[in-house]
Amino acid sequence: MSLDKPSSVQPVLRSRLLPRISFQSLFALTTLSALIASLARVAGDGGALALAVMVAIAFPLSCFLLFAILFLFSWAITFLWYDQEEEDTLKGSPFAAGQLPPQIMPPRDPSL
């Protein structure tokens, strides 16, 4: 009797549908969330240092959120109203092979 696996046995493949998040990262996220929640409770009760730490945490997060919203707004505007085909027919790419960039200034007189 052979100890080799029969050809019908295939290895178990990991699912690509589930995100690859480890339990360690989930525990760390839960611990961090609990610390921030307890800090917010102390800040709500009148703790000055806790309030300062909450402001120091909330300010960069609110800036990041504002920047993300502004980026998505500007991206949506360019995505909806930018017609790439029309602009490419009027101009050429100066980096394309065999094509000179558009000339802005007239050429100099070589006799001078």
Side-chain angles (χ1 to χ4, degrees):
M1 179 164 219
S2 173
L3 295 177
D4 293 335
K5 295 180 184 177
S7 61
S8 63
V9 176
Q10 296 179 357
V12 176
L13 299 176
R14 296 181 68 180
S15 173
R16 300 278 184 190
L17 296 176
L18 298 175
R20 296 183 182 190
I21 300 173
S22 67
F23 282 116
Q24 290 177 347
S25 63
L26 286 177
F27 288 143
L29 182 65
T30 304
T31 304
L32 184 65
S33 298
L35 289 173
I36 290 175
S38 65
L39 190 63
R41 182 166 178 106
V42 171
D45 290 340
L49 183 62
L51 183 62
V53 171
M54 287 302 295
V55 168
I57 291 172
F59 181 72
L61 289 177
S62 62
C63 285
F64 177 76
L65 182 65
L66 177 67
F67 296 155
I69 289 171
L70 290 175
F71 169 77
L72 290 175
F73 180 69
S74 63
W75 179 74
I77 288 174
T78 58
F79 184 73
L80 292 175
W81 286 290
Y82 177 70
D83 190 13
Q84 184 177 5
E85 295 168 358
E86 182 181 320
E87 187 173 322
D88 284 343
T89 57
L90 298 176
K91 297 180 190 176
S93 173
F95 304 107
Q99 183 179 4
L100 294 174
Q103 191 170 8
I104 298 172
M105 297 179 66
R108 294 184 187 168
D109 187 11
S111 63
L112 295 176

